[in-house]
Amino acid sequence: MAHTEERTFVAIKPDAVIRGLTSTIIKRFEDKGYKIIGLKMLMVSPEQAAKHYEEHYGKPFYDRLIRYISSGPIVAMVLQGYNVIKGVRQLMGATDPAEAQVGTIRADFAQLKEYNSVHGSDSAESAEREISIYFNPEELCTEWKNMTELVTEKEDFI
Ligand code: UDP
Ligand code: MG
């Protein structure tokens, strides 16, 4: 059976960018073999923040979450790979760094669930939605597709 690569949206949140952890966190994803097909640093606008976290609107932590994600630059990425949505969530660890497995990004680099250093989409639907909030289609490097086809043809590469 042929395997199909997925895409997911990842953000290095302001607390981690400010502490100089951008390269360290990107390395976790690259070391796993995921391809970075989109990458940018930006300040999240109020509109982007509201769209991104619309599922949490009205929750006690919502206002603080919106302030946090807009408080400094984020590094937004689209990653592509096999089972990348689930795999990124595993590399990130549980929402609360105190509950996250040692070795995950949140356990290793964060202390509080309110400032947990990284975001990753939780489903294929969320991934598509979140990618479209932060990236235009032409900003994604789709020439990676050629590499994907090559690797898929030559099963011994994977
Ligand atoms: N969050 C928070 N307090 C909570 C739960 C969540 O501040 O009690 C923040 C935290 O930054 C988290 C984000 O809201 O990453 C989104 O929450 P979600 O439950 O979707 O967690 P995630 O998918 O990021 O693990
Ligand atoms: Mg979530």
Side-chain angles (χ1 to χ4, degrees):
M1 195 186 75
H3 296 285
T4 308
E5 290 191 324
E6 297 174 339
R7 292 178 183 184
T8 195
F9 175 73
V10 172
I12 305 175
K13 292 177 172 178
D15 63 298
V17 175
I18 288 161
R19 285 181 293 144
L21 292 168
T22 298
S23 60
T24 303
I25 292 175
I26 288 177
K27 185 165 169 54
R28 297 276 176 117
F29 299 121
E30 285 199 317
D31 284 352
K32 177 82 175 179
Y34 298 140
K35 302 173 186 111
I36 302 169
I37 64 165
L39 180 70
K40 67 169 90 164
M41 177 182 269
L42 73 149
M43 295 294 297
V44 177
S45 70
E47 294 74 23
Q48 285 172 319
K51 275 192 198 166
H52 183 158
Y53 286 118
E54 66 184 12
E55 68 175 299
H56 296 302
Y57 181 76
K59 293 183 184 171
F61 60 85
Y62 178 79
D63 288 347
R64 186 171 49 194
L65 173 60
I66 297 298
R67 277 201 306 278
Y68 162 48
I69 203 67
S70 314
S71 64
I74 70 160
V75 174
M77 283 177 276
V78 179
L79 299 184
Q80 184 170 309
Y82 299 108
N83 299 307
V84 68
I85 298 168
K86 190 174 177 190
V88 161
R89 298 278 297 184
Q90 284 180 337
L91 289 177
M92 290 193 327
T95 305
D96 185 345
E99 304 293 331
Q101 295 274 339
V102 171
T104 63
I105 293 165
R106 284 166 165 172
D108 291 356
F109 303 119
Q111 298 176 28
L112 295 168
K113 68 182 170 190
E114 291 85 358
Y115 306 102
N116 57 7
S117 298
V118 69
H119 168 85
S121 308
D122 64 6
S123 67
E125 295 70 33
S126 300
E128 283 310 306
R129 201 181 67 79
E130 291 167 4
I131 289 168
S132 74
I133 295 169
Y134 291 97
F135 288 90
N136 294 319
E138 65 271 19
E139 292 178 301
L140 302 181
C141 295
T142 49
E143 63 264 33
W144 276 105
K145 273 185 185 165
N146 298 330
M147 184 67 163
T148 304
E149 284 156 16
L150 187 72
V151 170
T152 308
E153 279 167 20
K154 297 183 184 293
E155 290 279 329
D156 53 333
F157 273 97
I158 56 175

